[in-house]
């Protein structure tokens, strides 16, 4: 049905309804005697009812006219209005949560799932979502809403929700429903791989891609490395804060609770950041090692070797990981703690 | 006795006037300051601030970086770009000059092969535009 026909019909119905309402409330008493006004409460109730109904009809008509005019911008290369984005994002969150309840994740700790998941990820997810050190392709770049970085998506969604999103897709977003083209097992393998992805450096990802391309198996996922969370749980956070001043870190970095430096990047919300030094996945072990030997990791870096003692590095890391939302830290610990 | 037209005492009128002048000049001067930073950013980089802001959105830089003034730019993968105009180094390796910043934006992996920042296919002019916008972030 064409929009103008619908508009015409709505308009006609609206007018008829309005006329009927007016007719209803018109005093019908035509006696020559003066008519007493109806009871005040009834009058108020009628006025309110008519106002609401009239306004609703006008709003619907107005809305349809606005839509018909075509003025509302829908180009993908411009962001939504803030209120629209708020509605869409929150609506999406609550809807996915609601519809994914009852989905029970199978055991995702099986390392063989990682390889299978990696191959599927590379083919189906990387084009739009990219990967560590790898950009999305032209399609992924042009999509609105922007495909999020999947290395950190586990912070916002649990695994049942992610499985639901991969399986069912999201209307009007460009995120496809991968069921039934990908099997149940395939989709869970991708979710399992996302755990590994959350700790993958660009070099590791590139290495896995080369291994596959050259016919080797990317089996050495190397996640037996100690992430170091246990070490910083025992750190002296207030000592760490003091050490940031002692070692002069604050002359280069702006760090909440300590000082103001503009040479290197700010370290606010450190716990939420995915990489340090631009290429090391932010886990305590990497942070501690970086603090102790930046030149060893990134020769020519502006950050000098300051001869930081091991315990001081642990305490500093302990303080830094206390900055910002702790959700990422919790999720990392959960998804890697028992993963062989 | 003078009867003020407004019905308020003359002293109060004067106070309101003074506050208005201070407020107006603050707003105007702040706007001028912002105008100045746009002009200087564009002169330094040879790029266009408005185009740069749009390119940042188009290239989805905000999925990794938190960038003031750009919609949906709240990524925590890379460092926040607040105050990047005043930072001494870019990517921890290059001195923060317009050319270096532009080079980093267009070919990060030529400068640091291991970096998580991907090669996005940003052209030189686009990189200059993006750098111009970044140089307004103090």
């Amino acid at each position: 049905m064409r929009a103008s026909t619908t508009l015409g019909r709505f308009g006609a119905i609206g007018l008829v309804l309005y006329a009927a309402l007016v007719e209803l409330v018109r005093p019908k008493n035509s006696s020559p005697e003066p008519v007493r006004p109806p009871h005040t409460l009834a009058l108020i109730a009628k006025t309110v009812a008519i106002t609401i109904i009239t306004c609703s009809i006008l709003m619907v008509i107005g809305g349809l006219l606005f839509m018909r005019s075509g003025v509302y911008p829908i180009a993908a290369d411009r962001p939504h209005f803030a209120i629209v984005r708020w509605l869409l994002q929150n609506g999406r969150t609550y809807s996915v949560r609601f519809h994914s309840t009852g989905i029970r994740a199978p055991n995702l700790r099986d390392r063989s799932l990682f390889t299978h998941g990696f191959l599927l990820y590379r083919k189906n997810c990387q084009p739009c979502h990219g990967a560590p050190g790898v950009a999305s392709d032209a399609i992924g770049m042009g999509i609105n809403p922007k495909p999020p970085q999947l290395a950190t998506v586990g912070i916002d969604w649990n695994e049942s929700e992610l499985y639901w999103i991969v399986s069912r897709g999201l209307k009007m977003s460009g995120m496809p429903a991968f069921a039934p083209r990908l099997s149940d097992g395939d989709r869970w393998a991708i979710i399992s791989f996302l755990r590994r992805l959350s700790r993958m450096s660009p070099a590791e990802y590139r290495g896995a891609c080369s291994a596959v391309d050259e016919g080797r198996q990317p089996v050495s996922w190397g996640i037996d490395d100690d992430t170091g969370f246990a070490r910083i749980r025992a750190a002296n956070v207030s000592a760490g804060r003091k050490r940031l001043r002692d070692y002069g870190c604050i002359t280069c970095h702006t760090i909440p609770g300590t000082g103001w430096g503009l040479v290197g990047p700010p370290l606010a919300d450190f716990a939420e950041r995915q990489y340090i030094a631009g290429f090391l996945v932010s886990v305590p072990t990497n942070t501690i090692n970086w603090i102790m030997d930046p030149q060893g990791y990134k020769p020519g870096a502006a950050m000098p070797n300051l001869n930081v003692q091991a315990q001081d590095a642990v305490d500093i890391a302990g303080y830094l990981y206390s900055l910002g939302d702790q959700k990422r830290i919790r999720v990392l610990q959960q998804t890697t703690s028992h993963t062989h | 006795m003078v009867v003020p037209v407004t019905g308020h005492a003359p002293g109060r009128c004067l106070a309101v006037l003074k506050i208005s002048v201070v407020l107006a000049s603050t707003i105007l001067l702040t706007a001028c300051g912002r105008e100045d930073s746009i002009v200087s950013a564009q002169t330094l980089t040879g790029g266009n601030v408005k185009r740069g802001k749009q390119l940042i959105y188009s290239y989805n830089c905000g999925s990794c970086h938190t960038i003031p003034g750009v919609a949906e730019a709240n990524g925590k993968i890379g460092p926040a770009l607040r105050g990047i105009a005043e930072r001494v180094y870019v990517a921890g390796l290059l001195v923060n000059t317009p050319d270096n910043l532009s080079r980093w934006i267009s070919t990060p992996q030529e400068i640091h092969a291991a970096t998580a920042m991907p090669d996005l296919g940003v052209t030189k002019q686009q990189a200059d535009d993006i750098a111009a916008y970044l140089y307004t972030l103090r």
Side-chain angles (χ1 to χ4, degrees):
Chain A
M1 183 183 296
R2 290 185 57 214
S4 51
T5 318
T6 320
L7 193 56
R9 289 183 194 201
F10 265 106
I13 294 169
L15 280 169
V16 167
L17 275 172
Y18 188 75
L21 270 165
V22 168
E23 182 60 33
L24 255 170
V25 298
R26 188 170 60 82
K28 293 174 189 57
N29 197 335
S30 54
S31 124
E33 289 156 11
V35 176
R36 285 191 62 185
H39 196 276
T40 316
L41 210 57
L43 183 61
I44 291 172
K46 276 185 198 168
T47 311
V48 167
I50 293 174
T51 310
I52 289 175
I53 292 170
T54 312
C55 286
S56 306
I57 292 169
L58 285 174
M59 271 167 51
V60 168
I61 294 175
L64 286 167
L65 279 170
F66 181 66
M67 183 196 76
R68 179 62 184 83
S69 75
V71 159
Y72 190 84
I74 59 162
D77 65 355
R78 297 285 189 277
H80 280 298
F81 298 117
I83 177 82
V84 174
R85 183 164 63 246
W86 183 87
L87 279 166
L88 290 173
Q89 284 180 350
N90 281 290
R92 174 184 67 192
T93 302
Y94 296 126
S95 181
V96 171
R97 262 187 219 160
F98 180 87
H99 289 96
S100 66
T101 50
I103 295 178
R104 295 279 166 263
N107 182 3
L108 295 174
R109 298 173 195 156
D110 186 350
R111 188 189 278 200
S112 67
L113 284 177
F114 286 170
T115 304
H116 185 43
F118 164 70
L119 294 169
L120 289 164
Y121 179 93
R122 203 178 167 201
K123 177 154 183 260
N124 295 288
C125 316
Q126 184 185 305
C128 287
H129 290 277
V134 179
S136 332
D137 66 8
I139 294 177
M141 278 291 168
I143 285 185
N144 189 340
K146 306 282 187 191
Q149 294 289 322
L150 294 182
T152 51
V153 81
I155 298 171
D156 300 318
W157 304 101
N158 68 35
E159 284 166 333
S160 303
E161 290 160 352
L162 289 171
Y163 172 81
W164 189 95
I165 292 172
V166 169
S167 307
R168 306 291 304 273
L170 299 171
K171 278 189 169 74
M172 305 280 286
S173 74
M175 174 61 192
F178 281 98
R181 193 174 60 83
L182 291 185
S183 72
D184 243 27
D186 285 344
R187 284 174 269 125
W188 279 119
I190 293 174
I191 305 305
S192 168
F193 174 69
L194 290 182
R195 291 183 168 207
R196 183 63 185 93
L197 187 70
S198 68
R199 286 194 48 204
M200 247 175 138
S201 71
E204 283 175 306
Y205 191 84
R206 215 185 336 251
C209 291
S210 312
V212 167
D213 293 342
E214 290 156 20
R216 292 179 281 119
Q217 275 283 83
V219 286
S220 57
W221 291 105
I223 53 169
D224 294 293
D225 307 328
D226 171 34
T227 49
F229 286 111
R231 288 171 80 188
I232 59 164
R233 251 173 276 149
N236 185 334
V237 167
S238 56
R241 187 171 152 203
K242 197 173 168 300
R243 294 289 165 265
L244 286 167
R245 264 191 265 262
D246 296 340
Y247 282 102
C249 312
I250 59 165
T251 60
C252 286
H253 293 284
T254 299
I255 310 170
T258 63
W260 195 264
L262 291 172
V263 180
L267 302 183
D269 297 336
F270 187 85
E272 300 174 48
R273 293 272 312 281
Q274 176 66 6
Y275 289 103
I276 53 169
F279 72 109
L280 293 168
V281 177
S282 174
V283 288
T285 307
N286 282 346
T287 305
I288 291 163
N289 291 342
W290 167 257
I291 290 169
M292 285 169 51
D293 184 19
Q295 292 296 315
Y297 282 92
K298 199 172 174 184
M303 178 152 156
N305 271 17
L306 292 158
N307 226 342
V308 180
Q309 301 303 298
Q311 188 51 51
D312 290 338
V314 171
D315 293 338
I316 288 171
Y319 178 72
L320 291 176
Y321 279 108
S322 73
L323 301 172
D325 192 275
Q326 297 291 295
K327 187 118 198 269
R328 175 181 173 267
I329 308 291
R330 273 200 304 271
V331 170
L332 268 178
Q333 289 178 86
Q334 274 165 20
T335 56
T336 59
S337 59
H338 304 295
T339 325
H340 38 284
Chain B
M1 185 179 90
V2 175
V3 178
V5 172
T6 55
H8 298 302
R12 190 148 155 202
C13 260
L14 200 56
V16 170
L17 188 62
K18 280 183 192 163
I19 292 170
S20 311
V21 166
V22 169
L23 267 174
S25 41
T26 313
I27 291 167
L28 282 169
L29 285 170
T30 319
C32 282
R34 172 101 191 116
E35 218 13 78
D36 279 344
S37 77
I38 290 175
V39 167
S40 66
Q42 291 184 158
T43 315
L44 274 173
T45 56
N48 179 294
V49 166
K50 196 158 167 227
R51 269 201 320 251
K53 186 171 168 175
Q54 175 56 39
L55 284 165
I56 288 174
Y57 182 76
S58 296
Y59 277 109
N60 204 8
C61 308
S63 68
C64 286
H65 294 281
T66 300
I67 310 171
V70 177
E72 299 165 57
N74 49 16
K76 294 269 175 23
I77 310 259
L81 301 185
R82 168 180 38 93
I84 189 167
E86 301 190 313
R87 242 177 269 156
V88 176
Y89 288 99
V90 166
L93 286 168
L94 299 171
V95 175
N96 187 359
T97 65
D99 276 337
N100 280 347
L101 180 56
S102 186
R103 261 182 66 213
W104 173 257
I105 291 167
S106 53
T107 52
Q109 298 192 347
E110 276 176 28
I111 294 164
H112 184 212
T115 185
M117 179 149 153
D119 272 327
L120 293 150
V122 181
T123 67
K124 168 119 198 352
Q125 182 58 54
Q126 289 172 340
D128 288 342
D129 292 335
I130 292 173
Y133 180 78
L134 293 179
Y135 275 165
T136 65
L137 302 177
R138 295 185 172 275

